[in-house]
Coordinates of all heavy atoms in Angstrom, one line a residue:
M1 N 22.4 2.2 5.0 CA 21.8 3.2 4.1 C 21.8 2.7 2.7 O 22.7 2.2 2.2 CB 22.5 4.5 4.3 CG 22.0 5.6 3.3 SD 22.8 7.2 3.5 CE 24.3 7.0 4.3
M2 N 20.7 2.9 2.0 CA 20.5 2.6 0.6 C 21.2 3.6 -0.3 O 21.1 4.8 -0.1 CB 19.0 2.5 0.2 CG 18.8 2.3 -1.2 SD 17.0 2.2 -1.6 CE 16.5 3.8 -1.1
C3 N 22.0 3.2 -1.2 CA 22.7 4.0 -2.1 C 21.7 4.9 -2.9 O 20.8 4.3 -3.5 CB 23.6 3.2 -3.1 SG 24.7 4.3 -4.1
G4 N 21.9 6.2 -2.9 CA 21.0 7.1 -3.6 C 19.9 7.6 -2.8 O 19.3 8.7 -3.1
G5 N 19.4 6.9 -1.8 CA 18.3 7.4 -0.9 C 18.8 8.2 0.2 O 19.9 8.0 0.7
C6 N 18.0 9.2 0.6 CA 18.3 10.0 1.8 C 17.9 9.3 3.1 O 16.9 8.6 3.1 CB 17.6 11.4 1.7 SG 18.4 12.5 0.5
T7 N 18.7 9.5 4.1 CA 18.3 9.1 5.5 C 17.2 9.9 6.0 O 16.9 11.0 5.5 CB 19.5 9.2 6.4 OG1 19.9 10.5 6.6 CG2 20.7 8.4 6.0
A8 N 16.5 9.5 7.0 CA 15.5 10.3 7.7 C 16.2 11.4 8.4 O 17.5 11.3 8.7 CB 14.8 9.4 8.8
P9 N 15.5 12.5 8.7 CA 16.2 13.6 9.4 C 16.7 13.2 10.8 O 16.0 12.4 11.5 CB 15.0 14.7 9.6 CG 14.0 14.2 8.6 CD 14.1 12.8 8.4
Q10 N 17.8 13.7 11.2 CA 18.4 13.3 12.4 C 18.9 14.6 13.1 O 19.3 15.5 12.4 CB 19.6 12.4 12.2 CG 19.3 11.1 11.4 CD 20.6 10.4 11.0 OE1 21.4 10.0 11.8 NE2 20.7 10.2 9.7
P11 N 19.0 14.6 14.5 CA 19.6 15.7 15.1 C 21.1 15.9 14.8 O 21.7 14.9 14.5 CB 19.5 15.4 16.6 CG 18.4 14.3 16.7 CD 18.5 13.6 15.4
S12 N 21.5 17.1 14.7 CA 22.9 17.3 14.3 C 23.9 16.7 15.4 O 23.5 16.6 16.5 CB 23.1 18.9 14.2 OG 24.4 19.1 13.8
T13 N 25.1 16.4 14.9 CA 26.1 15.9 15.7 C 27.3 16.8 15.6 O 27.3 17.8 14.8 CB 26.6 14.5 15.2 OG1 27.1 14.7 13.9 CG2 25.4 13.5 15.2
D14 N 28.3 16.6 16.4 CA 29.6 17.4 16.4 C 30.2 17.3 15.0 O 30.7 18.3 14.5 CB 30.6 16.9 17.4 CG 30.2 17.3 18.8 OD1 29.3 18.1 19.0 OD2 30.7 16.7 19.8
E15 N 30.1 16.1 14.4 CA 30.7 15.9 13.0 C 30.0 16.8 12.0 O 30.6 17.5 11.1 CB 30.6 14.5 12.6 CG 31.1 14.3 11.2 CD 30.9 12.8 10.6 OE1 30.2 12.1 11.3 OE2 31.4 12.6 9.6
I16 N 28.6 16.9 12.1 CA 27.9 17.7 11.2 C 28.1 19.2 11.4 O 28.2 19.9 10.5 CB 26.3 17.3 11.3 CG1 26.1 15.9 10.9 CG2 25.5 18.3 10.5 CD1 26.6 15.5 9.5
Q17 N 28.2 19.6 12.7 CA 28.6 21.0 13.0 C 29.9 21.3 12.3 O 30.1 22.4 11.8 CB 28.6 21.3 14.5 CG 28.9 22.7 14.8 CD 27.8 23.7 14.3 OE1 26.7 23.5 14.6 NE2 28.2 24.7 13.5
S18 N 30.9 20.4 12.4 CA 32.2 20.6 11.8 C 32.1 20.8 10.3 O 32.8 21.6 9.7 CB 33.0 19.4 12.2 OG 34.4 19.7 12.3
I19 N 31.3 20.0 9.7 CA 31.1 20.1 8.2 C 30.5 21.4 7.9 O 30.9 22.1 7.0 CB 30.2 18.9 7.7 CG1 31.0 17.6 7.8 CG2 29.7 19.1 6.3 CD1 30.1 16.3 7.6
A20 N 29.4 21.8 8.6 CA 28.8 23.1 8.4 C 29.8 24.2 8.6 O 29.9 25.2 7.8 CB 27.6 23.3 9.3
D21 N 30.6 24.2 9.6 CA 31.6 25.2 9.9 C 32.6 25.3 8.8 O 33.0 26.4 8.4 CB 32.3 25.0 11.2 CG 31.5 25.2 12.4 OD1 30.4 25.9 12.3 OD2 31.8 24.7 13.5
E22 N 33.0 24.2 8.2 CA 34.0 24.1 7.1 C 33.5 24.8 5.8 O 34.3 25.4 5.1 CB 34.4 22.7 6.8 CG 35.7 22.6 6.0 CD 36.3 21.3 6.0 OE1 36.2 20.5 7.0 OE2 36.9 20.9 4.9
V23 N 32.2 24.8 5.6 CA 31.6 25.4 4.4 C 31.0 26.8 4.6 O 30.5 27.4 3.7 CB 30.6 24.5 3.6 CG1 31.3 23.2 3.2 CG2 29.4 24.2 4.4
K24 N 31.0 27.2 5.9 CA 30.4 28.5 6.2 C 31.0 29.6 5.4 O 30.2 30.5 4.8 CB 30.7 28.8 7.7 CG 30.1 30.1 8.1 CD 30.4 30.4 9.6 CE 29.9 31.8 10.0 NZ 30.3 32.1 11.4
S25 N 32.3 29.7 5.2 CA 32.8 30.8 4.3 C 32.4 30.7 2.9 O 32.1 31.8 2.2 CB 34.4 30.8 4.4 OG 34.9 29.6 3.9
Q26 N 32.2 29.5 2.4 CA 31.6 29.4 1.0 C 30.2 29.9 0.9 O 29.9 30.6 0.0 CB 31.6 27.9 0.6 CG 33.0 27.3 0.4 CD 32.9 25.8 0.1 OE1 32.2 25.4 -0.8 NE2 33.7 25.0 0.9
L27 N 29.4 29.6 1.9 CA 28.0 30.2 2.0 C 28.0 31.7 2.1 O 27.3 32.4 1.3 CB 27.3 29.6 3.2 CG 25.9 30.2 3.4 CD1 24.9 29.9 2.2 CD2 25.3 29.7 4.7
E28 N 28.9 32.2 3.0 CA 28.9 33.7 3.1 C 29.3 34.4 1.8 O 28.8 35.4 1.5 CB 29.9 34.0 4.3 CG 29.3 33.6 5.6 CD 30.2 33.9 6.8 OE1 31.4 33.9 6.6 OE2 29.7 34.1 7.9
E29 N 30.3 33.8 1.1 CA 30.7 34.3 -0.2 C 29.6 34.3 -1.2 O 29.3 35.2 -1.9 CB 31.9 33.6 -0.7 CG 32.5 34.2 -1.9 CD 33.8 33.5 -2.4 OE1 34.6 33.0 -1.5 OE2 34.0 33.4 -3.6
K30 N 28.9 33.1 -1.3 CA 27.9 32.9 -2.3 C 26.6 33.8 -2.0 O 26.0 34.3 -2.9 CB 27.4 31.5 -2.4 CG 28.5 30.6 -3.1 CD 28.1 29.2 -3.2 CE 29.2 28.4 -3.9 NZ 28.7 27.0 -4.2
A31 N 26.3 33.9 -0.7 CA 25.1 34.6 -0.3 C 25.4 36.1 -0.1 O 24.5 36.9 0.1 CB 24.5 34.0 1.0
N32 N 26.7 36.5 -0.1 CA 27.1 37.8 0.2 C 26.5 38.4 1.5 O 26.0 39.4 1.6 CB 26.7 38.8 -1.0 CG 27.5 40.1 -1.0 OD1 28.6 40.1 -0.4 ND2 26.9 41.1 -1.5
K33 N 26.7 37.5 2.5 CA 26.2 37.8 3.8 C 27.0 37.1 4.9 O 27.5 36.0 4.7 CB 24.7 37.4 3.9 CG 24.0 37.7 5.2 CD 22.5 37.3 5.1 CE 21.9 37.7 6.4 NZ 20.4 37.4 6.4
K34 N 27.2 37.8 6.0 CA 27.9 37.2 7.2 C 26.9 36.5 8.1 O 25.8 37.1 8.4 CB 28.7 38.2 7.9 CG 29.9 38.8 7.1 CD 30.9 37.7 6.9 CE 32.1 38.3 6.1 NZ 33.0 37.2 5.7
Y35 N 27.3 35.4 8.7 CA 26.4 34.7 9.6 C 27.2 34.5 10.9 O 27.9 33.5 11.1 CB 26.0 33.3 9.1 CG 25.1 33.4 7.9 CD1 25.7 33.2 6.6 CD2 23.8 33.7 8.0 CE1 24.9 33.3 5.5 CE2 23.0 33.8 6.9 CZ 23.5 33.6 5.6 OH 22.7 33.7 4.5
P36 N 27.0 35.5 11.9 CA 27.7 35.3 13.2 C 27.2 34.2 14.0 O 28.0 33.5 14.7 CB 27.5 36.7 13.9 CG 26.4 37.4 13.1 CD 26.3 36.7 11.8
H37 N 26.0 33.8 13.9 CA 25.4 32.6 14.6 C 25.3 31.5 13.5 O 24.7 31.8 12.4 CB 24.0 33.0 15.2 CG 23.4 31.9 15.9 ND1 23.8 31.5 17.2 CD2 22.4 31.0 15.6 CE1 23.0 30.5 17.6 NE2 22.2 30.2 16.6
F38 N 25.8 30.4 13.8 CA 25.8 29.3 12.7 C 25.8 27.9 13.4 O 26.8 27.3 13.7 CB 27.1 29.4 11.9 CG 27.0 28.9 10.5 CD1 26.2 29.5 9.5 CD2 27.6 27.7 10.2 CE1 26.1 29.0 8.2 CE2 27.6 27.2 8.9 CZ 26.8 27.8 7.9
K39 N 24.6 27.5 13.8 CA 24.4 26.2 14.5 C 23.6 25.2 13.8 O 22.5 25.4 13.5 CB 23.7 26.5 15.9 CG 23.6 25.3 16.7 CD 22.8 25.6 18.0 CE 22.7 24.3 18.8 NZ 21.7 24.4 19.8
A40 N 24.3 24.1 13.4 CA 23.6 23.0 12.7 C 22.7 22.4 13.7 O 23.0 22.1 14.9 CB 24.7 22.0 12.2
V41 N 21.4 22.1 13.3 CA 20.4 21.6 14.2 C 19.8 20.2 13.7 O 19.3 19.5 14.5 CB 19.2 22.6 14.4 CG1 19.7 23.8 15.2 CG2 18.5 23.0 13.1
Q42 N 19.9 20.0 12.4 CA 19.4 18.7 11.8 C 20.1 18.4 10.5 O 20.6 19.3 9.9 CB 17.9 19.0 11.6 CG 17.1 17.7 11.1 CD 15.6 18.1 10.9 OE1 15.3 18.8 10.0 NE2 14.7 17.5 11.6
F43 N 20.1 17.1 10.1 CA 20.7 16.8 8.9 C 20.1 15.5 8.3 O 19.5 14.7 9.0 CB 22.2 16.6 9.0 CG 22.7 15.3 9.6 CD1 23.1 14.3 8.8 CD2 22.6 15.1 11.0 CE1 23.6 13.1 9.4 CE2 23.0 13.9 11.6 CZ 23.5 12.9 10.8
K44 N 20.3 15.3 7.0 CA 20.0 14.1 6.3 C 21.3 13.8 5.5 O 22.1 14.7 5.2 CB 18.9 14.2 5.3 CG 17.5 14.3 5.9 CD 16.5 14.4 4.7 CE 15.1 14.4 5.2 NZ 14.1 14.4 4.0
S45 N 21.5 12.6 5.1 CA 22.7 12.3 4.3 C 22.2 11.3 3.1 O 21.2 10.7 3.2 CB 23.8 11.6 5.1 OG 23.4 10.4 5.7
Q46 N 23.0 11.4 2.1 CA 22.7 10.6 0.9 C 24.0 10.0 0.3 O 24.9 10.8 0.0 CB 22.0 11.5 -0.2 CG 21.8 10.8 -1.5 CD 21.3 11.7 -2.6 OE1 21.8 12.8 -2.7 NE2 20.4 11.3 -3.5
L47 N 24.1 8.7 0.2 CA 25.3 8.1 -0.3 C 25.2 8.0 -1.8 O 24.3 7.5 -2.4 CB 25.3 6.6 0.3 CG 26.6 5.9 0.0 CD1 27.8 6.6 0.6 CD2 26.5 4.5 0.6
V48 N 26.2 8.7 -2.4 CA 26.3 8.7 -3.9 C 27.8 8.3 -4.2 O 28.3 7.4 -3.5 CB 25.9 10.1 -4.5 CG1 24.4 10.3 -4.4 CG2 26.6 11.2 -3.8
A49 N 28.5 8.9 -5.1 CA 29.9 8.7 -5.3 C 30.6 9.6 -4.3 O 31.3 10.5 -4.7 CB 30.3 8.9 -6.7
G50 N 30.4 9.4 -3.0 CA 30.7 10.3 -2.0 C 29.5 10.4 -1.1 O 28.6 9.6 -1.2
T51 N 29.3 11.5 -0.4 CA 28.2 11.7 0.5 C 27.6 13.1 0.3 O 28.4 14.1 0.4 CB 28.5 11.4 2.0 OG1 29.0 10.1 2.1 CG2 27.2 11.5 2.8
N52 N 26.3 13.3 0.1 CA 25.7 14.6 0.2 C 25.1 14.7 1.6 O 24.5 13.8 2.1 CB 24.5 14.7 -0.8 CG 24.9 15.0 -2.2 OD1 25.9 15.8 -2.4 ND2 24.3 14.3 -3.2
Y53 N 25.4 15.9 2.2 CA 24.8 16.2 3.5 C 23.8 17.3 3.3 O 24.2 18.3 2.7 CB 25.9 16.6 4.5 CG 26.7 15.5 4.9 CD1 28.0 15.3 4.3 CD2 26.3 14.6 5.9 CE1 28.8 14.2 4.7 CE2 27.2 13.5 6.3 CZ 28.4 13.4 5.7 OH 29.2 12.3 6.1
F54 N 22.6 17.2 3.7 CA 21.6 18.2 3.7 C 21.5 18.7 5.2 O 21.1 17.9 6.1 CB 20.3 17.7 3.2 CG 20.4 17.2 1.8 CD1 20.7 15.9 1.6 CD2 20.1 18.0 0.8 CE1 20.8 15.4 0.3 CE2 20.3 17.6 -0.5 CZ 20.6 16.2 -0.8
I55 N 21.9 19.9 5.5 CA 22.0 20.4 6.8 C 21.2 21.6 7.1 O 21.3 22.6 6.3 CB 23.5 20.7 7.1 CG1 24.4 19.5 6.8 CG2 23.7 21.1 8.6 CD1 25.9 19.8 6.9
K56 N 20.4 21.6 8.1 CA 19.6 22.8 8.5 C 20.4 23.5 9.6 O 20.8 22.9 10.6 CB 18.3 22.3 9.1 CG 17.4 23.5 9.5 CD 16.1 23.1 10.2 CE 15.1 22.4 9.3 NZ 13.8 22.2 9.9
V57 N 20.7 24.8 9.3 CA 21.5 25.6 10.2 C 20.8 26.8 10.7 O 20.2 27.5 9.9 CB 22.8 26.1 9.4 CG1 23.7 26.9 10.3 CG2 23.6 24.9 8.9
Q58 N 20.8 27.0 12.0 CA 20.1 28.2 12.5 C 21.1 29.3 12.5 O 22.3 29.2 13.0 CB 19.8 27.9 14.0 CG 19.0 29.1 14.7 CD 18.6 28.7 16.1 OE1 19.1 27.8 16.7 NE2 17.7 29.5 16.6
V59 N 20.7 30.4 11.8 CA 21.6 31.6 11.6 C 21.1 32.8 12.4 O 21.8 33.8 12.5 CB 21.8 31.9 10.1 CG1 22.5 30.8 9.4 CG2 20.5 32.2 9.5
D60 N 19.9 32.7 13.0 CA 19.4 33.8 13.8 C 18.2 33.1 14.6 O 17.9 31.9 14.4 CB 18.9 34.9 13.0 CG 18.9 36.3 13.8 OD1 19.0 36.2 15.0 OD2 18.7 37.3 13.1
N61 N 17.6 33.9 15.5 CA 16.5 33.3 16.3 C 15.5 32.4 15.5 O 15.3 31.3 15.9 CB 15.8 34.4 17.1 CG 16.6 35.0 18.2 OD1 17.6 34.3 18.7 ND2 16.3 36.1 18.7
D62 N 14.9 33.0 14.5 CA 13.9 32.3 13.7 C 14.3 32.2 12.3 O 13.4 32.1 11.4 CB 12.6 33.1 13.8 CG 12.0 33.1 15.3 OD1 12.1 32.0 15.9 OD2 11.5 34.1 15.7
D63 N 15.6 32.3 12.0 CA 16.1 32.3 10.6 C 17.0 31.1 10.4 O 18.0 30.9 11.2 CB 16.8 33.6 10.3 CG 17.0 33.7 8.8 OD1 16.4 33.0 8.0 OD2 17.9 34.6 8.4
F64 N 16.7 30.3 9.4 CA 17.5 29.1 9.1 C 17.9 29.1 7.7 O 17.3 29.7 6.8 CB 16.7 27.8 9.4 CG 16.4 27.6 10.9 CD1 15.4 28.4 11.5 CD2 17.1 26.7 11.6 CE1 15.1 28.2 12.8 CE2 16.8 26.5 13.0 CZ 15.8 27.3 13.6
V65 N 19.0 28.4 7.4 CA 19.4 28.1 6.0 C 19.5 26.6 5.9 O 19.8 25.9 6.8 CB 20.7 28.8 5.6 CG1 20.6 30.3 5.6 CG2 21.9 28.3 6.4
H66 N 19.3 26.1 4.6 CA 19.5 24.7 4.3 C 20.7 24.6 3.4 O 20.8 25.3 2.4 CB 18.3 24.1 3.6 CG 17.1 23.9 4.5 ND1 15.9 23.4 4.1 CD2 16.9 24.3 5.8 CE1 15.1 23.4 5.1 NE2 15.6 23.9 6.2
L67 N 21.7 23.7 3.7 CA 22.9 23.5 3.0 C 22.9 22.1 2.3 O 22.4 21.2 2.9 CB 24.1 23.6 3.9 CG 24.2 24.8 4.8 CD1 25.5 24.7 5.7 CD2 24.3 26.1 4.0
R68 N 23.5 22.1 1.1 CA 23.8 20.8 0.5 C 25.3 20.7 0.3 O 25.8 21.5 -0.5 CB 23.1 20.5 -0.8 CG 23.4 19.2 -1.4 CD 22.5 18.7 -2.5 NE 22.2 19.7 -3.5 CZ 22.8 19.7 -4.8 NH1 23.7 18.8 -5.1 NH2 22.4 20.6 -5.6
V69 N 25.9 19.9 1.1 CA 27.4 19.8 1.1 C 27.8 18.4 0.6 O 27.2 17.4 1.0 CB 27.9 20.0 2.6 CG1 29.4 19.9 2.6 CG2 27.4 21.3 3.2
F70 N 28.8 18.4 -0.3 CA 29.3 17.2 -0.9 C 30.6 16.8 -0.3 O 31.6 17.7 -0.3 CB 29.4 17.3 -2.4 CG 29.9 16.0 -3.0 CD1 29.1 14.9 -3.0 CD2 31.2 15.9 -3.5 CE1 29.6 13.7 -3.6 CE2 31.7 14.7 -4.0 CZ 30.9 13.6 -4.1
K71 N 30.7 15.6 0.3 CA 32.0 15.1 0.8 C 32.4 14.0 -0.2 O 31.7 13.0 -0.3 CB 31.8 14.6 2.2 CG 33.1 14.0 2.8 CD 32.8 13.6 4.2 CE 34.1 13.1 4.9 NZ 33.9 12.6 6.3
S72 N 33.5 14.2 -0.8 CA 34.0 13.2 -1.8 C 34.5 11.9 -1.1 O 34.7 11.9 0.1 CB 35.1 13.8 -2.7 OG 36.2 14.1 -1.9
L73 N 34.8 10.9 -1.9 CA 35.4 9.7 -1.4 C 36.8 10.0 -0.9 O 37.5 10.8 -1.4 CB 35.4 8.6 -2.4 CG 34.0 8.1 -2.9 CD1 34.1 7.3 -4.2 CD2 33.3 7.4 -1.8
P74 N 37.2 9.2 0.2 CA 38.5 9.5 0.8 C 39.7 9.5 -0.2 O 40.6 10.4 -0.1 CB 38.7 8.4 1.8 CG 37.3 8.0 2.2 CD 36.5 8.2 0.9
H75 N 39.7 8.6 -1.1 CA 40.9 8.6 -2.0 C 41.0 9.8 -3.0 O 42.0 10.0 -3.6 CB 40.8 7.3 -2.9 CG 39.8 7.2 -3.9 ND1 38.5 6.9 -3.7 CD2 39.9 7.6 -5.3 CE1 37.8 7.0 -4.8 NE2 38.6 7.4 -5.8
E76 N 39.9 10.5 -3.1 CA 39.9 11.7 -3.9 C 40.6 12.9 -3.3 O 41.0 13.9 -3.9 CB 38.5 12.1 -4.4 CG 37.9 11.1 -5.3 CD 36.4 11.4 -5.7 OE1 35.9 12.3 -5.1 OE2 35.9 10.7 -6.5
N77 N 40.6 12.9 -1.9 CA 41.3 13.9 -1.1 C 40.9 15.3 -1.5 O 41.7 16.2 -1.7 CB 42.9 13.7 -1.3 CG 43.6 14.4 -0.1 OD1 43.0 14.6 0.9 ND2 44.8 14.8 -0.4
A78 N 39.6 15.5 -1.7 CA 39.1 16.8 -2.1 C 38.4 17.5 -0.9 O 37.9 16.8 0.0 CB 38.0 16.6 -3.2
P79 N 38.4 18.8 -0.9 CA 37.8 19.5 0.2 C 36.2 19.4 0.2 O 35.7 19.1 -0.9 CB 38.2 21.0 0.0 CG 38.5 21.1 -1.4 CD 39.0 19.7 -1.8
L80 N 35.6 19.6 1.3 CA 34.1 19.7 1.3 C 33.7 20.8 0.4 O 34.3 21.9 0.3 CB 33.6 20.0 2.7 CG 33.8 18.9 3.7 CD1 33.5 19.4 5.1 CD2 32.9 17.7 3.4
A81 N 32.5 20.6 -0.3 CA 32.0 21.6 -1.3 C 30.6 21.9 -1.0 O 29.8 21.0 -0.9 CB 32.2 21.1 -2.7
L82 N 30.3 23.2 -0.9 CA 28.9 23.6 -0.7 C 28.3 23.6 -2.1 O 28.6 24.4 -3.0 CB 28.8 25.0 -0.1 CG 27.4 25.6 0.0 CD1 26.6 24.9 0.9 CD2 27.5 27.1 0.4
H83 N 27.4 22.7 -2.4 CA 26.9 22.5 -3.8 C 25.6 23.4 -4.0 O 25.4 23.8 -5.1 CB 26.5 21.1 -4.1 CG 27.7 20.3 -4.6 ND1 27.6 19.1 -5.3 CD2 29.0 20.6 -4.6 CE1 28.8 18.7 -5.6 NE2 29.7 19.5 -5.2
D84 N 24.9 23.7 -2.9 CA 23.7 24.5 -3.0 C 23.3 24.9 -1.6 O 23.7 24.3 -0.6 CB 22.6 23.7 -3.7 CG 21.5 24.6 -4.4 OD1 21.7 25.9 -4.3 OD2 20.6 24.1 -5.0
Y85 N 22.4 25.9 -1.6 CA 21.9 26.4 -0.3 C 20.5 27.0 -0.5 O 20.2 27.5 -1.7 CB 22.8 27.4 0.4 CG 23.0 28.7 -0.3 CD1 22.3 29.8 0.0 CD2 23.9 28.8 -1.4 CE1 22.4 31.0 -0.7 CE2 24.1 30.0 -2.1 CZ 23.3 31.1 -1.7 OH 23.5 32.3 -2.4
Q86 N 19.7 27.1 0.5 CA 18.4 27.8 0.5 C 18.3 28.7 1.7 O 18.6 28.2 2.9 CB 17.3 26.8 0.5 CG 17.2 25.9 -0.7 CD 16.2 24.8 -0.5 OE1 15.8 24.4 0.5 NE2 15.7 24.3 -1.7
T87 N 18.0 29.9 1.6 CA 17.8 30.9 2.7 C 16.4 31.1 3.0 O 15.5 30.6 2.4 CB 18.5 32.2 2.3 OG1 17.9 32.7 1.1 CG2 20.0 32.0 2.1
N88 N 16.2 31.9 4.0 CA 14.8 32.3 4.5 C 14.0 31.0 4.9 O 12.8 31.0 4.5 CB 14.1 33.1 3.4 CG 14.8 34.4 3.1 OD1 15.3 35.1 4.0 ND2 15.0 34.7 1.9
K89 N 14.6 30.1 5.5 CA 13.9 28.9 6.0 C 13.5 29.1 7.5 O 14.1 30.0 8.2 CB 14.8 27.7 5.9 CG 15.1 27.3 4.4 CD 13.9 26.9 3.8 CE 14.1 26.3 2.4 NZ 12.9 25.8 1.8
T90 N 12.5 28.4 7.9 CA 12.1 28.4 9.3 C 12.5 27.1 10.0 O 12.8 26.1 9.4 CB 10.6 28.6 9.5 OG1 9.9 27.5 9.0 CG2 10.1 29.9 8.7
K91 N 12.3 27.1 11.3 CA 12.6 25.9 12.1 C 11.7 24.7 11.6 O 12.1 23.6 11.6 CB 12.3 26.1 13.6 CG 12.6 25.0 14.5 CD 12.4 25.3 15.9 CE 12.7 24.1 16.8 NZ 12.6 24.5 18.2
N92 N 10.5 25.0 11.2 CA 9.5 24.0 10.8 C 9.6 23.5 9.3 O 8.9 22.6 8.9 CB 8.1 24.4 11.1 CG 7.9 24.6 12.6 OD1 8.4 23.8 13.4 ND2 7.2 25.6 13.0
D93 N 10.4 24.2 8.5 CA 10.6 23.8 7.1 C 11.3 22.5 7.0 O 12.3 22.3 7.7 CB 11.4 24.9 6.3 CG 10.6 26.1 6.0 OD1 9.3 26.0 6.0 OD2 11.2 27.2 5.8
E94 N 10.7 21.6 6.3 CA 11.2 20.3 6.1 C 12.5 20.3 5.3 O 12.7 21.1 4.4 CB 10.2 19.4 5.3 CG 10.7 17.9 5.2 CD 9.7 17.1 4.5 OE1 8.6 17.5 4.2 OE2 10.1 15.9 4.2
L95 N 13.5 19.5 5.8 CA 14.8 19.4 5.1 C 14.6 18.4 4.0 O 14.4 17.2 4.2 CB 15.8 18.9 6.1 CG 17.3 19.0 5.7 CD1 17.7 20.4 5.3 CD2 18.1 18.5 6.9
T96 N 14.6 18.8 2.7 CA 14.4 18.0 1.6 C 15.5 18.1 0.6 O 16.4 18.9 0.7 CB 13.1 18.4 0.8 OG1 13.2 19.8 0.4 CG2 11.9 18.3 1.7
Y97 N 15.5 17.2 -0.4 CA 16.5 17.2 -1.4 C 16.3 18.5 -2.3 O 15.2 18.8 -2.6 CB 16.4 16.0 -2.4 CG 17.5 15.9 -3.4 CD1 18.7 15.2 -3.2 CD2 17.4 16.6 -4.6 CE1 19.7 15.2 -4.1 CE2 18.4 16.6 -5.5 CZ 19.6 15.9 -5.3 OH 20.6 15.9 -6.2
F98 N 17.4 19.1 -2.6 CA 17.4 20.3 -3.5 C 18.7 20.4 -4.2 O 19.7 19.8 -3.9 CB 17.1 21.6 -2.7 CG 18.1 21.9 -1.6 CD1 19.2 22.7 -1.9 CD2 18.0 21.4 -0.4 CE1 20.1 23.1 -0.9 CE2 18.9 21.7 0.6 CZ 20.0 22.5 0.3

């Protein structure tokens, strides 16, 4: 992967679901909404001084959110951080940098 560039969209993995689950409470607090259904379906990643993950999460039948999660470098020993999110997305909305 090229430093600074995003990967192509990929189907979600168990690791990505785990990352999404870890920041779910941060999203619920920021959006002031509970998400009983929370399934990561697609992601992109970007290598910076750590890794940005752009994750498409299905939160209802036809309702999706896009998350931007930052994972710091291992030596920083910092928790995952939800840096931004977008609501009211659909299954067909492209996962882009935001």
Side-chain angles (χ1 to χ4, degrees):
M1 174 177 19
M2 177 178 61
C3 188
C6 284
T7 62
Q10 303 168 59
S12 186
T13 63
D14 289 343
E15 177 188 10
I16 297 302
Q17 182 65 55
S18 211
I19 289 169
D21 289 342
E22 195 168 327
V23 299
K24 179 181 177 187
S25 62
Q26 294 175 49
L27 172 65
E28 290 177 335
E29 184 178 324
K30 289 180 179 190
N32 197 26
K33 184 175 180 177
K34 294 289 182 190
Y35 295 101
H37 182 78
F38 205 73
K39 182 182 178 194
V41 295
Q42 187 181 61
F43 79 101
K44 289 181 174 184
S45 60
Q46 176 190 36
L47 188 59
V48 288
T51 305
N52 279 321
Y53 291 97
F54 299 89
I55 306 172
K56 183 184 289 190
V57 178
Q58 184 176 17
V59 294
D60 206 347
N61 287 340
D62 297 319
D63 193 17
F64 292 76
V65 296
H66 291 183
L67 309 177
R68 179 163 48 100
V69 179
F70 180 71
K71 182 177 181 180
S72 65
L73 295 171
H75 73 276
E76 294 176 351
N77 200 26
L80 291 170
L82 177 65
H83 276 197
D84 203 357
Y85 66 97
Q86 298 175 332
T87 58
N88 300 316
K89 294 294 189 175
T90 68
K91 181 179 182 176
N92 295 322
D93 284 335
E94 184 180 351
L95 193 55
T96 60
Y97 184 93
F98 58 94

